[in-house]
């Protein structure tokens, strides 16, 4: 078994299972007299919950994650060629896809009996954004070996800063350029940043409009619910009045039923007495011949 094989297995596990499984792999490597492999396995870091969520995405939804990372290539190309419309369109698409994948990460965790908070899902989104900007982070995401959350500042070579834990990866410094060339480069960077800012604004505006529409719908539903509740309350009052009247009628009928029952009992006793009298009179007549 190679280090890649072990890493693939370990980073597919729940974080709570990682340390025990890593120890077992180290022991197995030592038993096989492969001390170098045992040492390398021991260096593998336990993933955070965010790292585990990103790794879940890479393993369960490789096509969707691959499409997102390919989108990062398109964004960098649009920035290099200063294609403002393309950059705005791709930036909006990037944000939509990242949000969707972050939500799916939460669903995948729920399928495994784990509930994750909004902060963790937000960090998943930040890590995916960082993967779009940095090739090393993208490779970690693609292979499902993310250890911890990553974040980024800016996009592309002009302002990339990817942070994982306390380490940072920044692009190497280029050789000094001539003043005019440097100025043009700065202008290109500024144009690209402006295009991305416009895309961010368009996406934020679209998101606000979507939320505003949802709020309008919610208010309409609230008004309908309150109206229905008022109708139900009125109906309850009417039913209570009907119930009170029915209870009064029931009491009246119960009294009538009691009186009728007593009359029946009296009639039965009187009938028995009358029948005894008839029988006595018949016997007396028979005796007289």
């Amino acid at each position: 078994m190679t280090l890649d094989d072990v890493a693939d297995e370990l980073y597919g596990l729940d974080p709570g299972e990682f340390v025990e499984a890593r120890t077992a792999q180290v022991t197995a490597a030592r038993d096989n007299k492969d001390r170098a492999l045992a040492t390398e396995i021991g260096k593998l870091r336990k993933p955070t919950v965010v790292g585990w969520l990103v790794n879940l995405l890479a393993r369960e939804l490789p096509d969707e994650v691959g499409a997102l990372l390919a989108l990062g290539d398109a964004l960098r190309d649009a920035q290099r060629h200063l294609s403002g419309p393309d950059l705005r369109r791709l930036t909006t698409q990037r944000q939509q896809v990242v949000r969707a994948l972050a939500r799916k990460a939460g669903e995948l965790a729920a399928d495994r009996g784990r509930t994750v908070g909004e902060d963790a899902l937000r960090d998943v989104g930040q890590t995916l954004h960082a993967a779009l900007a940095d090739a090393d982070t993208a490779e970690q995401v693609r292979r499902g070996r993310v250890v911890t959350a990553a974040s980024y500042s800016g996009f592309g070579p002009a302002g990339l800063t990817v942070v994982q834990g306390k380490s940072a990866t920044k692009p190497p410094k280029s050789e000094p350029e001539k003043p005019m060339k440097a100025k043009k480069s700065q202008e290109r960077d500024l144009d690209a940043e402006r295009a991305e800012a416009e895309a961010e604004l368009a996406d934020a505006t679209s998101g606000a409009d979507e939320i505003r529409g949802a709020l309008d719908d919610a208010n309409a539903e609230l008004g309908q619910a309150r109206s229905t509740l008022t109708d139900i309350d009125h109906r309850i009052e009417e039913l209570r009045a009907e119930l009170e009247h029915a209870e009064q009628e029931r009491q009246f009928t119960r009294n009538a039923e009691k009186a009728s029952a007593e009359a029946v009992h009296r009639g039965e006793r009187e009938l028995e007495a009358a029948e005894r009298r008839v029988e006595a009179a018949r016997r007396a007549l028979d005796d007289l011949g």
Side-chain angles (χ1 to χ4, degrees):
M1 180 173 281
T2 66
L3 180 62
D4 278 342
D5 294 332
V6 175
D8 283 339
E9 178 181 340
L10 293 181
Y11 285 109
L13 299 175
D14 184 282
E17 303 171 350
F18 184 90
V19 173
E20 182 178 355
R22 181 183 61 190
T23 300
Q25 292 289 356
V26 169
T27 301
R30 286 175 178 169
D31 290 344
N32 289 330
K33 310 300 183 183
D34 194 338
R35 294 184 177 275
L37 178 59
T39 300
E40 292 302 315
I41 293 174
K43 293 179 181 179
L44 295 176
R45 294 170 55 197
K46 173 183 174 181
T48 63
V49 172
V50 173
W52 173 66
L53 289 172
V54 176
N55 295 338
L56 267 183
L57 286 173
R59 284 169 165 76
E60 298 296 327
L61 303 171
D63 292 341
E64 295 182 38
V65 171
L68 174 67
L69 297 178
L71 183 61
D73 295 334
L75 275 164
R76 285 188 289 272
D77 185 68
Q79 187 183 43
R80 283 194 297 270
H81 293 85
L82 297 178
S83 175
D86 286 345
L87 187 59
R88 285 189 291 272
R89 175 179 57 80
L90 292 171
T91 298
T92 299
Q93 185 179 353
R94 174 197 68 186
Q95 293 167 338
Q96 292 171 343
V97 173
V98 166
R99 282 197 296 266
L101 283 175
R103 287 195 301 269
K104 289 183 178 180
E107 294 171 0
L108 290 173
D111 291 341
R112 288 157 176 76
R114 291 284 296 268
T115 300
V116 295
E118 289 299 321
D119 288 345
L121 297 183
R122 193 160 39 246
D123 287 343
V124 169
Q126 286 295 325
T127 302
L128 294 176
H129 278 303
L132 292 172
D134 177 62
D136 290 340
T137 305
E139 184 62 18
Q140 291 176 10
V141 170
R142 182 179 289 106
R143 300 179 70 181
R145 298 186 187 179
V146 175
V147 174
T148 187
S151 61
Y152 83 108
S153 174
F155 186 84
L160 172 64
T161 301
V162 175
V163 180
Q164 294 181 338
K166 296 182 179 179
S167 63
T169 302
K170 295 186 178 180
K173 294 181 179 179
S174 59
E175 294 296 326
E177 300 181 7
K178 296 180 180 180
M180 182 60 70
K181 186 175 181 181
K183 182 178 180 180
K184 289 182 178 180
S185 176
Q186 290 174 356
E187 290 175 350
R188 285 196 299 270
D189 292 343
L190 181 60
D191 289 341
E193 291 176 5
R194 184 180 295 109
E196 183 176 2
E198 290 174 354
E200 294 280 357
L201 176 59
D203 184 63
T205 301
S206 176
D209 289 342
E210 182 179 348
I211 293 172
R212 190 177 296 108
L215 179 59
D216 290 341
D217 292 341
N219 279 323
E221 292 177 1
L222 176 60
Q224 181 62 41
R226 286 176 173 171
S227 177
T228 303
L229 182 60
T230 299
D231 292 341
I232 293 173
D233 287 339
H234 290 161
R235 180 58 180 156
I236 289 174
E237 291 177 2
E238 293 174 354
L239 292 173
R240 282 175 177 164
E242 291 180 12
L243 177 61
E244 183 178 357
H245 179 67
E247 288 178 342
Q248 291 174 351
E249 287 187 348
R250 182 172 182 270
Q251 187 62 42
F252 176 79
T253 304
R254 177 176 289 176
N255 293 337
E257 182 265 348
K258 183 178 180 181
S260 298
E262 292 175 353
V264 168
H265 291 325
R266 284 196 305 270
E268 289 174 343
R269 289 194 298 271
E270 290 174 355
L271 177 59
E272 289 176 359
E275 288 177 343
R276 287 195 299 272
R277 183 181 175 187
V278 169
E279 185 63 26
R282 181 178 290 111
R283 286 198 300 270
L285 181 60
D286 291 340
D287 291 344
L288 292 175

